[in-house]
Amino acid sequence: MKKPAIEIVVILAISISAGVVNNSVSANRIAWIGSWPSISDAEDDSAWDCLSCVETDPPQLSLGEASALYQNPEVLFLDARFPEEYAEGHIERAYLLPIEATSTDFDAYFNAVKPLLDSSRLIVTYCSGAECESSLFLARYLRDQIGLPNVSIFFGGWRRWENAGLPAAYPNRETETEN
Amino acid sequence: MRDLLSNKYLTLLFRVILGVVFCYAAVDKIVHIDQFARAIYFYHIAPGWTVNVMAVVMPMVEMIAGICLILGIMPRGAATLIVAMLVMFIVALTIVYVRGVDINCGCFSVSSRGKESAVGLIWRDLLLLLMGLQVLFLGRDFLSLQRLRK
């Protein structure tokens, strides 16, 4: 066996051992063999289910349910992504509440939407799509920390909404047009 | 031209750049294994059963190979692995770009803030790949622990 091949085997052996140790002691450990659902581009909402949710989490909405709720202007849509992502495009009438922003920034956005947060009002949180968890974190925060009981999560998120051609706003494009 | 490309200081510079980039990229993934597994899964390329294995092992390969490159321990093997990973990243990002899927690349950070355009990432990886190829095929073991021991 040539020298580089031996080096590769040694580095891989050390890496695998270190990875096994890390995953054994990590607070974020995962199963050795994951049971990930198969995802296709099919119009199947089950493919967009939250992978990290637990039973006690706020309910999830399919695209159909979210778009039906959107017809009611009383339902509040909250975008949990970062401001720059929101500025690129968001669900029309949705307000920005970036749960992963710094606490100072988040407080400023929270104060802006606070007058709209009412325990009788249905709130729908969303982020980019099934790969992000900001919508889940925001929904948990609103329910558990703020005490709002009617919070749901639309995991299809902005990407699913936009692909379906549903009402959207594009602040950046509008600014460019004005200039 | 070949003399310039095989300059020992250039190799050392590329080794350090690649090593630092790969070590830095590995840290967040090693800490947040679960989120990195999600990032791999949403590429929709790897078979489901391989996702967790990749999430556990790949960041460690990045870290160990990066350290080896910086210190000059088993530099050829480390460079080979880094070149192989860069080729894999470029292929994966190209597939994602062609499909038009907007994903969190999971390159340096596993958070959604780590989103960058696939084209920009492909260019960056191509640049790193060129550095890796220089280290692999033209490089010398200048200031490497392996050579100092001899």
Side-chain angles (χ1 to χ4, degrees), chain A residues 3-73:
Chain A
K3 199 180 166 195
I6 297 170
E7 292 180 358
I8 291 169
V9 171
V10 171
I11 293 172
L12 285 178
I14 296 170
S15 304
I16 292 168
S17 309
V20 168
V21 170
N22 180 50
N23 191 46
S24 302
V25 300
S26 173
N28 302 313
R29 76 176 67 91
I30 54 178
W32 300 109
I33 304 293
S35 55
W36 299 92
S38 64
I39 286 194
S40 66
D41 291 327
E43 295 296 301
D44 176 6
D45 277 324
S46 66
W48 299 93
D49 278 354
C50 170
L51 299 168
S52 309
C53 292
V54 292
E55 250 178 56
T56 52
D57 276 328
Q60 301 171 36
L61 301 173
S62 67
L63 177 68
E65 289 166 335
S67 62
L69 285 173
Y70 180 81
Q71 304 306 317
N72 178 358

Side-chain angles (χ1 to χ4, degrees), chain A residues 99 106 110 136-147:
Chain A
I99 188 71
F106 178 78
F110 183 77
L136 172 64
F137 299 152
L138 180 59
R140 284 176 181 166
Y141 173 80
L142 292 173
R143 191 194 61 182
D144 302 337
Q145 307 292 319
I146 308 300

Side-chain angles (χ1 to χ4, degrees), chain A residues 3 7-8 11 15 19 22-23 28 30-32 34 36-37 39 51-52 82 84-85 128 130-131 133 159, chain B residues 30-31 33-34 37-38 41-42 44 48 51-53 56 60-61 64 74 76-78 80-81 102 113 115 146:
Chain A
K3 199 180 166 195
E7 292 180 358
I8 291 169
I11 293 172
S15 304
N22 180 50
N23 191 46
N28 302 313
I30 54 178
W32 300 109
W36 299 92
I39 286 194
L51 299 168
S52 309
F82 289 102
E84 54 270 30
E85 294 174 295
S128 299
E131 81 281 8
E133 294 182 310
R159 188 170 54 247
Chain B
I30 289 171
V31 174
I33 315 169
D34 53 338
R38 288 172 65 83
Y41 172 64
F42 282 106
H44 302 179
V51 168
N52 286 14
V53 176
V56 169
M60 283 300 178
V61 179
I64 305 290
M74 301 182 279
R76 294 286 181 278
T80 306
L81 284 169
D102 175 28
R113 188 149 222 173
K115 277 191 177 181
Q146 196 159 283

